[in-house]
Amino acid sequence: MKNPTLFYHPKKNNEIVWQKEKIYVINANYLKEKFQKSMKSKKMVFIWTPRCTSKYCYSLSYLQNFCNVENIDLYVVAEYYDNEYMTVNYSIDKPIFAIDTDYYKTNLTNSYLNKFLSELDIKKTTKYNENRIYYFKNNDFIANINDINILK
């Protein structure tokens, strides 16, 4: 069950200061608008699975530090809703984003993730898979990877 005080549904894409204590419930168009406003040419969308234990499920603070060093704009998108992990205050520059399941008209994880990625202009042949990192340069999708060290 979602915690209504934790989640924020932005009406317009005009926030000047992030409400980092909130989870932004968004669609891919919102993220694309943020890409356009970003001063950095490199962007990373990390599909975060809160309870993942694989070696490619990086901690959010580690990812943020990596992105700071490599001058990459990090966007963390939760794969699913998890109130316990979403209430933790992570050391990241932006709030965590959650996919708006109402917008995509489905609660099935693979379905809303594939719709989100398609709307984000990820190549049509790329479907959601175990690779959690989507790398963009100049707002164009470049690669879907697991190992962030490839980006060094």
Side-chain angles (χ1 to χ4, degrees):
M1 175 129 203
K2 296 180 193 172
N3 174 351
T5 61
L6 178 63
F7 297 94
Y8 173 65
H9 296 262
K11 301 285 187 247
K12 294 188 177 183
N13 202 346
N14 59 0
E15 293 87 0
I16 295 171
V17 177
W18 293 106
Q19 297 181 53
K20 290 196 327 182
E21 71 283 359
K22 299 284 188 182
I23 305 299
Y24 280 53
V25 180
I26 62 161
N27 59 46
N29 289 322
Y30 180 90
L31 210 55
K32 288 193 304 189
E33 288 178 30
K34 288 298 180 192
F35 280 11
Q36 294 297 326
K37 294 178 181 179
S38 171
M39 300 301 285
K40 296 181 181 179
S41 65
K42 299 182 286 184
K43 285 110 180 150
M44 176 191 297
V45 174
F46 178 66
I47 304 297
W48 176 57
T49 305
R51 297 182 185 271
C52 181
T53 57
S54 130
K55 69 179 183 175
Y56 295 116
C57 295
Y58 300 102
S59 77
L60 300 185
S61 59
Y62 177 81
L63 272 178
Q64 185 64 67
N65 287 335
F66 175 88
C67 288
N68 289 347
V69 168
E70 298 299 325
N71 199 31
I72 299 171
D73 212 0
L74 174 64
Y75 299 85
V76 176
V77 177
E79 179 180 33
Y80 54 81
Y81 292 83
D82 187 315
N83 283 332
E84 180 183 346
Y85 283 85
M86 288 178 153
T87 57
V88 174
N89 186 10
Y90 296 98
S91 297
I92 55 178
D93 293 347
K94 294 177 188 58
I96 294 172
F97 298 99
I99 297 172
D100 187 344
T101 57
D102 291 338
Y103 175 85
Y104 293 108
K105 297 179 178 23
T106 182
N107 287 323
L108 301 174
T109 305
N110 280 342
S111 181
Y112 65 71
L113 277 166
N114 282 323
K115 289 177 179 184
F116 178 85
L117 292 172
S118 176
E119 192 174 83
L120 198 55
D121 296 330
I122 304 293
K123 293 178 184 173
K124 301 297 180 208
T125 57
T126 302
K127 294 217 179 277
Y128 177 69
N129 56 44
E130 69 279 352
N131 293 344
R132 306 223 169 261
I133 296 168
Y134 295 84
Y135 177 68
F136 295 80
K137 190 162 187 183
N138 298 320
N139 301 326
D140 294 324
F141 172 68
I142 301 297
N144 176 217
I145 61 174
N146 257 338
D147 185 358
I148 61 174
N149 293 309
I150 293 170
L151 302 177
K152 287 185 177 181

